[in-house]
Amino acid sequence: MTLHWAHVTVSYGLVLGGFAAIAIATALRLGAARRRLEALDPRARRMQDGT
């Protein structure tokens, strides 16, 4: 493999790794936001109590 293709391969790996990191961070933030909303939403507590 030439040096050019080595750089191309490494670049693709970095791009895919970057997108994977963004996707993981987004999923974690979404989960945290969902938990925060459940904790702060008074309607959710009333619906759980059945009143």
Side-chain angles (χ1 to χ4, degrees):
M1 179 164 27
T2 63
L3 185 60
H4 167 74
W5 288 110
H7 284 117
V8 170
T9 303
V10 169
S11 296
Y12 269 88
L14 289 173
V15 168
L16 291 176
F19 277 119
I22 290 170
I24 291 169
T26 301
L28 292 174
R29 287 177 56 208
L30 179 63
R34 191 170 285 150
R35 287 188 300 274
R36 170 79 52 107
L37 182 61
E38 288 174 359
L40 296 177
D41 188 11
R43 292 176 297 170
R45 279 184 289 221
R46 275 186 265 156
M47 292 182 77
Q48 286 177 350
D49 294 339
T51 58

